[in-house]
Amino acid sequence: MRELDGIITFHNAHHAVRAERLLQVKGIPNRTVPCPRDLSSSCGVALRFPAGEAQQVTDLLAHAGVQVESIRTYPEAQAVPSGWNALLLRRRHADNGKG
């Protein structure tokens, strides 16, 4: 899976689960992750996806009636909020079998 540099935040977990399933059906790589508080304090769940798919993701979720709080993309690592950088590092460490 290529780098996931987009993030969707939600008002509740129900819509996060719906979005995850819709993206999977359409073959768009995604991952459900805890949402850092500096991005949102709503449901605590976020969905990562490839930033290059942002328009398709936005259209798909809108058409399906999935309610999102925000959809953000981060083209460079420096643009990602500090809490998100820490989350990415922990996740990469765990994905490599070291966590």
Side-chain angles (χ1 to χ4, degrees):
M1 185 182 305
R2 64 185 177 178
E3 184 62 33
L4 302 175
D5 49 6
I7 185 168
I8 308 167
T9 58
F10 302 89
H11 293 291
N12 64 58
H14 170 75
H15 288 283
V17 172
R18 285 188 60 211
E20 179 184 29
R21 289 181 184 155
L22 284 168
L23 296 183
Q24 287 173 349
V25 166
K26 292 295 183 179
I28 300 171
N30 67 87
R31 177 178 295 183
T32 302
V33 295
C35 186
R37 291 286 177 205
D38 55 345
L39 291 182
S40 172
S41 61
S42 288
C43 76
V45 177
L47 196 64
R48 289 176 58 199
F49 67 95
E53 306 288 340
Q55 189 60 54
Q56 182 180 359
V57 167
T58 301
D59 294 344
L60 175 66
L61 298 181
H63 181 72
V66 175
Q67 297 175 12
V68 301
E69 181 177 27
S70 67
I71 298 178
R72 306 170 192 218
T73 58
Y74 300 99
E76 300 176 9
Q78 293 84 1
V80 179
S82 59
W84 190 246
N85 270 332
L87 179 65
L88 290 175
L89 290 174
R90 284 194 305 269
R91 190 62 188 216
R92 285 187 189 135
H93 187 70
D95 287 347
N96 289 331
K98 299 175 185 170

